[in-house]
Amino acid sequence: MSELFDAVDALVASRSPLPPPAERRRLRQAHALTLDEVAAALGVRRATVGGWESGKAEPRPPEREAYARLLKQLATLYPAPQSTGAPQEDTGTAAPAAQARLTGGAAEAAATAEAEEPSAAPPAPVPHAAATRRPVPRAERAPQSSRRPTARKDAPADTPAPGGVYAHGPLLVLDAERQVTGYGVGGLILDVPAKSLPALVEWTLTEARLGSEKLHGSGKDGDPLLVLTAAACARYGLPAVLSEAEQLAGRLPEGHKVIKQLERADWQLTKRGLGPWARIYRPAHGSRRQCVQLCIPSWRALDDRAWGHAARLEPAELARVLGVYAARVMTPVGSTAVTGLQLMTALNPPTRASEPDQNGKRHREHRPGSLGTQPMDPAPCEATDGHPVLAHLPRFHVRRPDERLFEEAYDWARDLTDAECMQGHLVGLDVNLAFGAAANGAVVGLASPPVHVTEPVFDPAVPGSWLVDLSHVDLSRVKVAKQWRRLEGHLLPSPFTPTGKRPEGPAWYATPTVAYAVELGYDVTPVEAWLRRESGRFLDGWYKRLRDAYVATMADLGVTEKLSPHQFLQAMDGYKSRDPELAIVVDAVKMTVKGGIGKLREKARGGGWKPGQAWPALARPTWRPDIRATVISRARINMHRKMLNLAAATDRYPVAVLSDCAVYAADGPSPLDVLPYGADGKTVPGSFRLGISPGMVKHEGTQSVLWGADVLEQLGADGHVANLARYIKTGEVTAKDTGE
């Protein structure tokens, strides 16, 4: 009899009523499920599930029964909103009103939560469970999609008013199936009525309520960002991918039909044109800006080195990744390097409103502590090759150390000693946000030009470039914690050169490098200098913003501050797999730090440039190679100081250093086999410490000493020693490295 009942149940289930296609899609997205996840669970192809949601096909037994069961459970979790538009009560399964999902003409709306509003104060870290919570159901579509949403009457008191200018957050990811849909932060969904790119820009500025609040009282609000999927590109007449010629140019040709549409509608493009990152604008009238940014992932806007697999995410997932980054860093305005540079200006604007004049009017004036609005020529020693200030030099002239400032990160390695060969492991230690930590507290020149001085008295408080001979500094006898110590100096890299070789005579150095020579106990006598008398800690706010973004996102991934060394190593094990989307944000923040510092000395790129001519980057007040040199000098000195303190306390020396990674030989595979932590949880003062805060270290990787000896034998030639820090993470040495 039970078999008959089972057969009857199966027969009824095979004809189970299914919700309409649009409701199926709503339920899947409400639970933040991708098409791939549903397809894998049901044993069908991704396109099959897509067909069920678009109404092009209907499921058949046996998949229909399982699909109906899935939708029924989701409908219980996420009931459809009432068609009357009356406020819905919170059931505990839906997110707050600040994360309500909307259509363009929905009767309900919600303001963005604090994580969606960039502000001068970074958001508090979000617990992991909260960071992955499911969005609430999509509101029912109203008859006129262009009508603005209205506020929920039962919104929490601490929720920003839905009528705010940027109630829908900083960005939308646009996708197109039967219609164009915009996916925003916090599960927001908007129907997009625009039929052309000019109409889309107009709609974004007049109805979408997108953008972000300024990060400083004297700054500017962030422009809305639209991210176009390949399907959205096709809907608006743009190619899904750029041709080879377009990729080389980095933009569409000027005569493209979409560009002509923009021109007819009186919209303008910046000099970079309509490319992977585009800015469409009209000249501002008064304080009202009219500008929209475009990001096109299928045109390689999201570089894999910074954004990982973000370009391959579903629209809602991509909106979450970019939304978290926008909330904690700023709305992306280009690559992570470009965004990092823009963040400096956003947090430290060059101008401010003056006090009212005799007529009661305010004017724009220079803001103290900023870099100003005018570009500045560097000192000749600070200029990159080909800069106009070096136009007098002969062509192909190679500048010596006493002609140019060469502050770069470490790339140093040595052979293993006999004692190190007897140990079993090589352990890599990586400094968290090394350049960010170096930027914190850095005193740099501001808006005044460099002044040339001969035979100056060294002053560690004055930023600048100094020509001085540091070849007399002997690392075998140095001051450590103000005490003279004898060390194996030949096992340490020199702190004064990126290669770790001892300098051979006078050379140009940034202030932190010369100050470190004094710290080690040696006198310095500069020959000349280029100094900046107006100075300040320009990068402090920039560092704090990125530091908080990094720490908060790592906390969401389960790696918090103030963990014991053992707890920290356990928390770091597989942390990216806990939430791959937030792991993308972590990597993007890291690249924002590195790229932002690198952009301070952006070199000429193509465009028919010739040495001696100016290139576009020189027109920026933020083209400041001296600031970059100061930060990199501090990062290298910080690294050396940690290695020196560890050597003085434990007689342990690095075998390789690459930028912010140092490799040590050890008897065991853990960083705890390198760092001497005591029972009180403390290690050598001033040396490496395990932890997530910038300047502290994490485990980069471990390989065997036999592996290291093999790599040194493979890659060593003509006295060259391979840098094991380059391969310690994965242990892989490619054919490119071996020259095959």
Side-chain angles (χ1 to χ4, degrees), residues 390-722:
L390 304 176
H392 62 283
L393 294 178
R395 194 176 184 186
F396 305 120
H397 175 74
V398 178
R399 292 189 290 165
R400 302 184 305 272
D402 61 348
E403 294 178 292
R404 68 163 179 161
L405 178 68
F406 191 62
E407 295 284 9
E408 298 294 340
Y410 268 128
D411 188 350
W412 169 86
R414 61 172 175 82
D415 285 321
L416 299 171
T417 65
D418 292 342
E420 289 166 342
C421 288
M422 299 302 294
Q423 296 181 291
H425 302 86
L426 295 171
V427 181
L429 304 175
D430 182 73
V431 180
N432 302 318
L433 293 189
F435 295 118
N440 184 37
V443 178
V444 300
L446 297 176
S448 60
V451 177
H452 186 251
V453 182
T454 57
E455 298 184 356
V457 176
F458 177 69
D459 185 348
V462 178
S465 300
W466 308 78
L467 180 61
V468 59
D469 188 352
L470 300 180
S471 60
H472 63 291
V473 179
D474 183 5
L475 294 181
S476 298
R477 184 176 180 272
V478 294
K479 277 188 176 180
V480 180
K482 299 182 179 181
Q483 299 290 327
W484 285 100
R485 299 291 300 272
R486 288 283 183 181
L487 301 174
E488 299 291 335
H490 63 287
L491 298 181
L492 283 169
S494 168
F496 309 126
T497 63
T499 61
K501 295 181 179 179
R502 189 168 179 170
E504 298 178 351
W508 285 99
Y509 302 100
T511 297
T513 303
V514 185
Y516 189 56
V518 176
E519 180 183 328
L520 294 177
Y522 290 85
D523 295 329
V524 296
T525 308
V527 178
E528 58 179 299
W530 288 90
L531 306 179
R532 289 172 168 82
R533 301 300 182 183
E534 182 189 352
S535 62
R537 296 169 58 160
F538 171 73
L539 294 173
D540 277 11
W542 182 81
Y543 159 76
K544 187 176 187 302
R545 179 82 176 176
L546 290 166
R547 182 257 181 214
D548 290 341
Y550 175 73
V551 171
T553 310
M554 288 299 295
D556 292 344
L557 291 166
V559 186
T560 60
E561 297 181 281
K562 298 183 180 179
L563 294 174
S564 70
H566 287 89
Q567 292 172 330
F568 171 73
L569 293 174
Q570 291 176 354
M572 286 294 294
D573 186 18
Y575 75 95
K576 288 189 175 183
S577 63
R578 295 173 197 148
D579 192 329
E581 294 172 17
L582 286 182
I584 294 174
V585 179
V586 170
D587 290 340
V589 171
K590 293 179 184 177
M591 292 300 290
T592 303
V593 174
K594 290 184 177 180
I597 297 298
K599 274 284 183 180
L600 290 168
R601 199 194 66 176
E602 182 178 357
K603 296 182 179 180
R605 296 180 297 175
W609 174 81
K610 295 180 180 179
Q613 295 178 344
W615 58 93
L618 300 187
R620 296 193 317 250
T622 50
W623 194 86
R624 292 292 299 271
D626 58 299
I627 296 180
R628 175 187 179 273
T630 297
V631 172
I632 293 181
S633 167
R634 284 171 57 92
R636 194 181 67 248
I637 294 307
N638 288 345
M639 194 76 173
H640 193 275
R641 187 182 290 110
K642 295 176 189 297
M643 295 186 293
L644 188 71
N645 285 321
L646 184 62
T650 66
D651 201 32
R652 193 183 297 274
Y653 296 85
V655 300
V657 185
L658 183 65
S659 187
D660 50 8
C661 175
V663 175
Y664 284 85
D667 292 322
S670 169
L672 295 176
D673 296 308
V674 175
L675 306 180
Y677 274 91
D680 58 356
K682 297 182 179 180
T683 186
V684 178
S687 182
F688 299 103
R689 289 193 303 148
L690 290 169
I692 201 57
S693 296
M696 300 176 76
V697 297
K698 60 182 179 293
H699 185 204
E700 179 71 359
T702 295
Q703 305 296 333
S704 69
V705 167
L706 291 177
W707 167 87
D710 184 53
V711 172
L712 292 174
E713 184 177 353
Q714 282 186 64
L715 304 184
D718 301 326
H720 171 74
V721 179

Side-chain angles (χ1 to χ4, degrees), residues 34-46 49:
T34 65
L35 290 172
D36 290 321
E37 289 174 326
V38 176
L42 299 178
V44 298
R45 296 185 301 116
R46 182 181 188 276
V49 180

Side-chain angles (χ1 to χ4, degrees), residues 42 54 60 145 174 178-179 197 216 236-237 263 289 394 467 558 589 613 684 736:
L42 299 178
S54 65
R60 297 180 179 179
S145 61
L174 304 187
R178 290 179 297 175
Q179 65 182 41
L197 191 58
H216 188 279
Y236 291 117
E263 291 173 348
R289 288 166 59 85
L467 180 61
V589 171
Q613 295 178 344
V684 178
K736 179 181 178 181

